[in-house]
Amino acid sequence: MVEDGRTVLSSVVASQIETHQRYGGVVPELASREHMRAITPVVAEAMERAGCAWPDLAGVACTYGPGLLGSLLVGVTYAKAICMAHGLPLLAVNHLEGHIHAVMLEHPETALPALALIVSGGHTHLYHIRGDFEYELISRTRDDAAGEAYDKVAKLLGFPYPGGPILDRLAPYGNPHGVRFTRAHMKGNALDFSFSGLKTAVLRWTEANPMAEEIAVRRRITNASVDEWLEVTPKTTLDLIASFQQTVIDELLSRIEKLSEEHPVESVIITGGVACNAGLRQAAARSRIGIPIYFPTPGLSTDNAAMIGAAAYRKLVRGEVAGMDLRPKASLAL
Ligand code: KG4
Ligand code: ZN
C-alpha cells in the first residue's frame, strides 16, 4: 500500500524460495500456483497493516509484464476483480518501471535525465531515462541475466537456490584476482552484456580442478550460515567466487562509467535483485562515476509491490487508466 506515490504504508512479500529450492530454480507452473495461494492473504495483510479499507483506495495497480505469464495472469485478474467490485481505476505497470520507481520512492531527489541499470534474475538492461520519464534501451544482456549467472554458478558449485546472496556473502573471503576470467568482447553494440561465457568458464574450472567432493558436500546442505559455508568451502573455491563476483561487477560498472561520460545525465539508478549485492554497492561507491548513484534498500531491490504502487501513482495522476481488457504480456518491453 503506497500513499501519494511516496509513502509506503505496508509492503508484504510472499516468498516462494522454499517451493522452488528443491528444483534448483523457478518452476513456472509452481510459481503461478503459489501466486494463487498467496494473493488473497497477502492483499488482506497489506490492507490490515496499512489500516486501510476498500473505500480508502484511489486505485489498484498490477504488473502486466514482463514475466511468467501464469503468475502475471493471477495478479492482473485479481486486480481487475477488485476494481470491478469497488469501482476503482485499474493501473497497469511495467515490472521494470516498478524497479526504477523503487529508487524514486526512497530517493525523490533522484534527478533526471538518468541512467538506470536493472539487474535481476531475469534482466540486465541499461536504460537512459529522459526528463519526462521516456525510456530508451541502451544495452542488454545477449544471454543470461546477471542474477541468473549468479544462480547458475552457485548451483554448479553446490549451493542452493537462489545462490546470488550466498556468493555475495562468501566473496569477501576470497581473492578477487585469484582466477583470471577473460572479458567478453561484444560484436555490434559494445555496451551489451554477456554472462554465459563466464558461467562456462567457471564450469571448466570446476572440471579442471579436484572439486567434486566439496561440491557433493555442499549439495547436501540446503540452509547454512556464512561460517558454516566457509567450513565446507576451501580457499581456492572462495578465490573462484570472489573472482567471479569481481568480473560481474566490472562488467556492470564499466558500462555505466563509459556511458555517464558520453551522456549528460544527472544520476545513476541501480535496481533489481542483484542491486542487493554488497560488493557491487561498495565498488559503485569507489568508482569513477562522478554523479550520484542510487540503490534501493535491499528490501525494495528485490521484487515487491510497493515499487509497483509508486510507479502507478504517476499513471493515476495523469489519468492513464487501463481497461478491463488488459492482458498480461510475458515479454513486455519498457
Ligand atoms: O528482482 P528479483 O527479486 O527477481 C527477478 O525479477 O528476477 O531478483 C532475484 C535475483 C536472483 O537471481 C538472486 O540470486 C539475485 O537477484 N540476488 C543477488 C543478490 N541478492 C539477490 N545476486 C547477487 N548478490 C546478491 N546479494
Ligand atoms: Zn524483478
Coordinates of all heavy atoms in Angstrom, one line a residue, residues 97-156:
E97 N 9.6 -0.7 -14.9 CA 9.4 0.6 -14.5 C 9.2 0.6 -12.9 O 9.6 1.6 -12.2 CB 8.1 1.2 -15.2 CG 8.0 2.7 -15.0 CD 7.0 3.4 -15.9 OE1 6.1 2.6 -16.4 OE2 7.1 4.6 -16.1
G98 N 8.6 -0.4 -12.4 CA 8.5 -0.6 -11.0 C 9.8 -0.6 -10.3 O 10.1 0.1 -9.3
H99 N 10.8 -1.4 -10.9 CA 12.1 -1.5 -10.3 C 12.8 -0.1 -10.2 O 13.4 0.3 -9.3 CB 13.0 -2.4 -11.0 CG 12.9 -3.9 -10.6 ND1 13.2 -4.2 -9.3 CD2 12.5 -5.0 -11.2 CE1 13.0 -5.6 -9.2 NE2 12.6 -6.0 -10.3
I100 N 12.5 0.7 -11.3 CA 13.1 2.1 -11.3 C 12.5 2.9 -10.2 O 13.1 3.7 -9.5 CB 12.9 2.7 -12.7 CG1 13.9 1.9 -13.7 CG2 13.2 4.2 -12.7 CD1 13.7 2.2 -15.1
H101 N 11.1 2.8 -10.1 CA 10.4 3.6 -9.1 C 10.7 3.2 -7.6 O 10.4 3.9 -6.7 CB 8.9 3.6 -9.3 CG 8.6 4.7 -10.3 ND1 8.8 4.5 -11.7 CD2 8.2 5.9 -10.2 CE1 8.5 5.6 -12.3 NE2 8.1 6.5 -11.5
A102 N 11.3 2.0 -7.4 CA 11.8 1.6 -6.1 C 12.8 2.6 -5.6 O 12.8 3.0 -4.4 CB 12.4 0.2 -6.1
V103 N 13.6 3.1 -6.5 CA 14.6 4.1 -6.2 C 13.9 5.5 -6.0 O 14.2 6.2 -5.0 CB 15.7 4.2 -7.3 CG1 16.6 5.4 -7.0 CG2 16.5 2.9 -7.3
M104 N 13.0 5.9 -6.9 CA 12.3 7.2 -6.8 C 11.6 7.3 -5.5 O 11.5 8.4 -4.9 CB 11.3 7.3 -7.9 CG 11.9 7.2 -9.3 SD 13.1 8.6 -9.6 CE 13.6 8.2 -11.3
L105 N 11.1 6.1 -5.0 CA 10.3 6.1 -3.8 C 11.1 6.5 -2.6 O 10.7 7.3 -1.7 CB 9.8 4.7 -3.6 CG 8.8 4.2 -2.5 CD1 7.5 5.0 -2.6 CD2 8.5 2.7 -2.7
E106 N 12.3 6.0 -2.5 CA 13.2 6.3 -1.4 C 14.1 7.5 -1.6 O 14.5 8.1 -0.6 CB 14.1 5.1 -1.1 CG 13.4 3.9 -0.7 CD 14.3 2.7 -0.3 OE1 15.1 2.3 -1.2 OE2 14.2 2.2 0.8
H107 N 14.3 7.8 -2.9 CA 15.2 9.0 -3.2 C 14.5 9.9 -4.1 O 14.8 10.0 -5.3 CB 16.5 8.5 -3.8 CG 17.3 7.6 -2.9 ND1 18.0 8.1 -1.8 CD2 17.5 6.3 -2.9 CE1 18.6 7.1 -1.2 NE2 18.3 6.0 -1.8
P108 N 13.5 10.7 -3.6 CA 12.8 11.6 -4.5 C 13.7 12.6 -5.1 O 13.3 13.3 -6.1 CB 11.7 12.2 -3.6 CG 11.9 11.7 -2.2 CD 13.0 10.7 -2.2
E109 N 14.9 12.8 -4.6 CA 15.8 13.8 -5.1 C 16.5 13.3 -6.4 O 17.3 14.0 -7.0 CB 16.9 14.1 -4.0 CG 18.0 13.1 -3.7 CD 17.5 12.0 -2.7 OE1 16.3 11.8 -2.5 OE2 18.4 11.3 -2.2
T110 N 16.3 12.0 -6.8 CA 16.9 11.5 -8.0 C 16.6 12.4 -9.2 O 15.5 12.5 -9.6 CB 16.4 10.0 -8.3 OG1 16.5 9.3 -7.1 CG2 17.3 9.4 -9.4
A111 N 17.7 13.0 -9.7 CA 17.4 13.9 -10.8 C 17.5 13.2 -12.2 O 18.3 12.3 -12.4 CB 18.5 15.0 -10.7
L112 N 16.6 13.7 -13.1 CA 16.6 13.2 -14.4 C 17.2 14.2 -15.3 O 17.2 15.4 -15.0 CB 15.2 12.9 -14.9 CG 14.4 11.8 -14.1 CD1 13.0 11.7 -14.7 CD2 15.1 10.5 -14.0
P113 N 17.8 13.9 -16.5 CA 17.9 12.5 -17.0 C 18.8 11.6 -16.2 O 19.8 12.1 -15.6 CB 18.4 12.8 -18.4 CG 19.1 14.1 -18.4 CD 18.4 14.9 -17.4
A114 N 18.6 10.3 -16.3 CA 19.4 9.4 -15.5 C 19.7 8.1 -16.3 O 19.0 7.9 -17.4 CB 18.6 9.0 -14.3
L115 N 20.7 7.4 -15.9 CA 20.9 6.1 -16.4 C 20.4 5.1 -15.4 O 20.5 5.3 -14.2 CB 22.4 5.8 -16.6 CG 23.2 6.5 -17.6 CD1 24.7 6.2 -17.5 CD2 22.7 6.1 -19.0
A116 N 19.7 4.1 -15.9 CA 19.1 3.1 -15.0 C 19.6 1.7 -15.4 O 19.4 1.3 -16.5 CB 17.6 3.1 -15.0
L117 N 20.2 1.0 -14.5 CA 20.6 -0.4 -14.7 C 19.7 -1.3 -13.9 O 19.7 -1.2 -12.7 CB 22.1 -0.6 -14.3 CG 22.6 -2.0 -14.3 CD1 22.7 -2.5 -15.8 CD2 24.0 -2.2 -13.6
I118 N 19.0 -2.1 -14.6 CA 18.1 -3.1 -13.9 C 18.8 -4.5 -14.0 O 19.0 -5.0 -15.1 CB 16.7 -3.2 -14.6 CG1 16.1 -1.7 -14.6 CG2 15.8 -4.1 -13.8 CD1 14.8 -1.6 -15.3
V119 N 19.2 -5.0 -12.8 CA 19.9 -6.2 -12.7 C 19.2 -7.2 -11.8 O 19.2 -7.0 -10.6 CB 21.4 -6.1 -12.2 CG1 22.4 -6.1 -13.3 CG2 21.5 -4.9 -11.3
S120 N 18.6 -8.2 -12.4 CA 17.8 -9.2 -11.6 C 18.1 -10.6 -12.2 O 19.0 -10.8 -12.9 CB 16.4 -8.8 -11.6 OG 15.9 -9.0 -12.9
G121 N 17.2 -11.5 -11.7 CA 17.3 -12.9 -12.2 C 16.8 -13.0 -13.7 O 17.2 -13.9 -14.4
G122 N 16.1 -12.0 -14.1 CA 15.5 -12.1 -15.5 C 16.1 -11.0 -16.4 O 15.9 -11.1 -17.6
H123 N 16.7 -9.9 -15.8 CA 17.1 -8.8 -16.6 C 18.5 -8.3 -16.3 O 18.9 -8.3 -15.2 CB 16.1 -7.6 -16.5 CG 14.7 -7.9 -17.0 ND1 13.8 -8.6 -16.3 CD2 14.2 -7.7 -18.3 CE1 12.7 -8.8 -17.1 NE2 13.0 -8.3 -18.3
T124 N 19.2 -7.8 -17.4 CA 20.3 -7.0 -17.2 C 20.2 -6.0 -18.3 O 20.6 -6.2 -19.4 CB 21.6 -7.8 -17.3 OG1 21.6 -8.8 -16.3 CG2 22.9 -6.9 -17.0
H125 N 19.5 -4.9 -18.0 CA 19.1 -3.9 -19.0 C 19.5 -2.5 -18.5 O 19.3 -2.2 -17.4 CB 17.5 -3.9 -19.2 CG 17.0 -5.0 -20.0 ND1 17.4 -6.3 -19.8 CD2 16.1 -5.1 -21.0 CE1 16.8 -7.1 -20.7 NE2 16.0 -6.4 -21.4
L126 N 20.1 -1.8 -19.5 CA 20.6 -0.4 -19.2 C 19.7 0.6 -20.0 O 19.6 0.5 -21.2 CB 22.0 -0.4 -19.6 CG 22.9 0.8 -19.1 CD1 22.8 1.1 -17.6 CD2 24.4 0.5 -19.4
Y127 N 19.1 1.5 -19.3 CA 18.2 2.5 -19.9 C 18.7 3.9 -19.7 O 19.3 4.2 -18.7 CB 16.8 2.4 -19.3 CG 16.0 1.1 -19.7 CD1 16.1 0.0 -18.9 CD2 15.3 1.1 -20.8 CE1 15.4 -1.1 -19.2 CE2 14.6 0.0 -21.2 CZ 14.6 -1.2 -20.4 OH 13.9 -2.3 -20.7
H128 N 18.3 4.7 -20.6 CA 18.5 6.2 -20.5 C 17.1 6.7 -20.2 O 16.2 6.5 -21.0 CB 19.1 6.8 -21.8 CG 19.3 8.2 -21.7 ND1 18.9 9.1 -22.7 CD2 20.0 9.0 -20.8 CE1 19.2 10.3 -22.3 NE2 19.9 10.3 -21.2
I129 N 16.9 7.4 -19.1 CA 15.6 7.9 -18.7 C 15.7 9.4 -19.0 O 16.5 10.1 -18.3 CB 15.2 7.7 -17.2 CG1 15.5 6.2 -16.8 CG2 13.8 8.0 -17.0 CD1 15.2 6.0 -15.4
R130 N 14.8 9.9 -19.9 CA 14.8 11.3 -20.1 C 14.0 12.0 -19.0 O 13.2 11.4 -18.3 CB 14.2 11.6 -21.5 CG 15.1 11.2 -22.6 CD 14.9 12.1 -23.8 NE 13.5 12.1 -24.3 CZ 13.1 11.3 -25.3 NH1 14.0 10.5 -25.9 NH2 11.9 11.3 -25.7
G131 N 14.0 13.3 -19.0 CA 13.3 14.1 -18.0 C 11.8 13.9 -17.9 O 11.3 14.0 -16.8
D132 N 11.2 13.4 -19.0 CA 9.8 13.2 -19.0 C 9.4 11.7 -18.8 O 8.4 11.2 -19.2 CB 9.1 13.7 -20.3 CG 10.0 13.2 -21.5 OD1 10.9 12.5 -21.3 OD2 9.6 13.6 -22.6
F133 N 10.4 11.0 -18.2 CA 10.2 9.5 -18.0 C 10.0 8.8 -19.3 O 9.2 7.8 -19.4 CB 9.0 9.2 -17.0 CG 9.4 9.3 -15.6 CD1 9.2 10.5 -14.8 CD2 10.1 8.3 -14.9 CE1 9.6 10.6 -13.5 CE2 10.5 8.3 -13.6 CZ 10.3 9.5 -12.9
E134 N 10.7 9.2 -20.3 CA 10.7 8.4 -21.6 C 12.0 7.5 -21.4 O 13.0 8.0 -21.1 CB 10.9 9.3 -22.8 CG 9.6 10.1 -23.1 CD 8.5 9.2 -23.6 OE1 8.8 8.3 -24.5 OE2 7.4 9.3 -23.2
Y135 N 11.8 6.2 -21.8 CA 12.9 5.3 -21.6 C 13.5 4.9 -22.9 O 12.8 4.6 -23.9 CB 12.4 4.0 -20.9 CG 11.7 4.3 -19.6 CD1 10.4 4.4 -19.5 CD2 12.5 4.4 -18.4 CE1 9.8 4.7 -18.2 CE2 11.9 4.6 -17.2 CZ 10.6 4.7 -17.1 OH 10.0 5.0 -15.9
E136 N 14.8 4.9 -23.0 CA 15.5 4.4 -24.2 C 16.4 3.3 -23.8 O 17.3 3.5 -22.9 CB 16.3 5.6 -24.8 CG 17.1 5.2 -26.0 CD 18.3 6.1 -26.3 OE1 18.4 7.1 -25.6 OE2 19.1 5.8 -27.2
L137 N 16.2 2.1 -24.4 CA 17.0 1.0 -24.0 C 18.4 1.2 -24.7 O 18.5 1.3 -25.9 CB 16.4 -0.3 -24.5 CG 17.2 -1.6 -24.2 CD1 17.4 -1.9 -22.7 CD2 16.5 -2.8 -24.9
I138 N 19.5 1.2 -23.9 CA 20.8 1.4 -24.4 C 21.5 0.1 -24.7 O 22.1 -0.1 -25.7 CB 21.6 2.2 -23.5 CG1 21.0 3.6 -23.4 CG2 23.1 2.3 -23.9 CD1 21.7 4.5 -22.4
S139 N 21.4 -0.9 -23.7 CA 22.0 -2.2 -23.9 C 21.3 -3.2 -23.0 O 20.7 -2.8 -22.1 CB 23.5 -2.1 -23.7 OG 23.8 -1.9 -22.3
R140 N 21.6 -4.4 -23.3 CA 21.0 -5.5 -22.5 C 21.9 -6.7 -22.6 O 22.8 -6.8 -23.4 CB 19.6 -5.8 -23.0 CG 19.6 -6.1 -24.5 CD 18.3 -6.6 -25.0 NE 18.0 -7.9 -24.4 CZ 16.8 -8.5 -24.4 NH1 15.8 -7.9 -25.1 NH2 16.6 -9.6 -23.9
T141 N 21.6 -7.7 -21.9 CA 22.3 -9.0 -22.0 C 21.9 -9.7 -23.2 O 20.8 -9.7 -23.6 CB 22.2 -9.9 -20.7 OG1 23.0 -11.0 -20.9 CG2 20.7 -10.3 -20.5
R142 N 22.9 -10.3 -23.8 CA 22.6 -11.2 -25.0 C 22.2 -12.6 -24.6 O 21.7 -13.3 -25.4 CB 23.9 -11.3 -25.9 CG 24.4 -9.9 -26.3 CD 24.3 -9.7 -27.8 NE 24.8 -8.4 -28.2 CZ 26.0 -8.3 -28.8 NH1 26.7 -9.3 -29.1 NH2 26.4 -7.1 -29.1
D143 N 22.6 -13.0 -23.4 CA 22.2 -14.3 -23.0 C 21.7 -14.3 -21.6 O 20.6 -13.9 -21.4 CB 23.5 -15.2 -23.1 CG 24.8 -14.5 -22.8 OD1 24.9 -14.1 -21.6 OD2 25.7 -14.4 -23.6
D144 N 22.5 -14.8 -20.6 CA 22.0 -14.8 -19.2 C 21.9 -13.4 -18.6 O 22.7 -12.6 -18.9 CB 22.9 -15.7 -18.3 CG 22.9 -17.1 -18.7 OD1 22.1 -17.5 -19.6 OD2 23.8 -17.9 -18.2
A145 N 20.9 -13.3 -17.7 CA 20.9 -12.1 -16.8 C 22.0 -12.3 -15.7 O 22.4 -13.4 -15.4 CB 19.5 -11.9 -16.2
A146 N 22.4 -11.2 -15.1 CA 23.4 -11.3 -14.1 C 23.0 -12.1 -12.9 O 23.8 -13.0 -12.5 CB 23.8 -9.9 -13.6
G147 N 21.8 -12.0 -12.5 CA 21.3 -12.8 -11.4 C 21.2 -14.3 -11.7 O 21.5 -15.2 -10.9
E148 N 20.8 -14.5 -13.0 CA 20.8 -15.9 -13.5 C 22.2 -16.5 -13.5 O 22.4 -17.7 -13.1 CB 20.2 -15.8 -14.9 CG 19.8 -17.1 -15.6 CD 19.3 -16.8 -17.0 OE1 19.2 -15.6 -17.4 OE2 19.0 -17.8 -17.7
A149 N 23.2 -15.7 -13.9 CA 24.6 -16.2 -13.9 C 25.0 -16.5 -12.4 O 25.6 -17.6 -12.2 CB 25.5 -15.1 -14.5
Y150 N 24.6 -15.6 -11.5 CA 24.9 -15.9 -10.1 C 24.3 -17.2 -9.7 O 25.0 -18.1 -9.0 CB 24.4 -14.8 -9.2 CG 25.4 -13.7 -8.8 CD1 25.5 -12.5 -9.5 CD2 26.3 -14.0 -7.8 CE1 26.4 -11.6 -9.2 CE2 27.2 -13.0 -7.4 CZ 27.3 -11.8 -8.1 OH 28.2 -10.9 -7.8
D151 N 23.0 -17.4 -10.0 CA 22.3 -18.6 -9.5 C 22.9 -19.9 -10.2 O 23.0 -20.9 -9.5 CB 20.8 -18.5 -9.8 CG 20.2 -17.3 -9.0 OD1 20.8 -16.9 -7.9 OD2 19.1 -16.8 -9.4
K152 N 23.2 -19.8 -11.5 CA 23.7 -20.9 -12.2 C 25.1 -21.3 -11.7 O 25.4 -22.5 -11.5 CB 23.8 -20.7 -13.7 CG 22.4 -20.7 -14.3 CD 22.5 -20.5 -15.8 CE 21.1 -20.6 -16.5 NZ 21.2 -20.1 -17.9
V153 N 26.0 -20.3 -11.4 CA 27.3 -20.6 -10.9 C 27.2 -21.2 -9.5 O 27.9 -22.2 -9.2 CB 28.2 -19.3 -11.0 CG1 29.4 -19.4 -10.1 CG2 28.6 -19.0 -12.4
A154 N 26.4 -20.6 -8.7 CA 26.2 -21.1 -7.3 C 25.7 -22.6 -7.4 O 26.2 -23.4 -6.7 CB 25.2 -20.3 -6.6
K155 N 24.8 -22.9 -8.3 CA 24.3 -24.2 -8.4 C 25.4 -25.2 -8.8 O 25.5 -26.3 -8.2 CB 23.1 -24.2 -9.4 CG 22.4 -25.5 -9.5 CD 21.2 -25.5 -10.5 CE 20.5 -26.8 -10.6 NZ 19.4 -26.7 -11.6
L156 N 26.2 -24.8 -9.8 CA 27.2 -25.8 -10.2 C 28.3 -25.9 -9.1 O 29.0 -26.9 -9.1 CB 27.7 -25.5 -11.6 CG 28.6 -24.2 -11.9 CD1 30.0 -24.5 -11.8 CD2 28.3 -23.9 -13.4

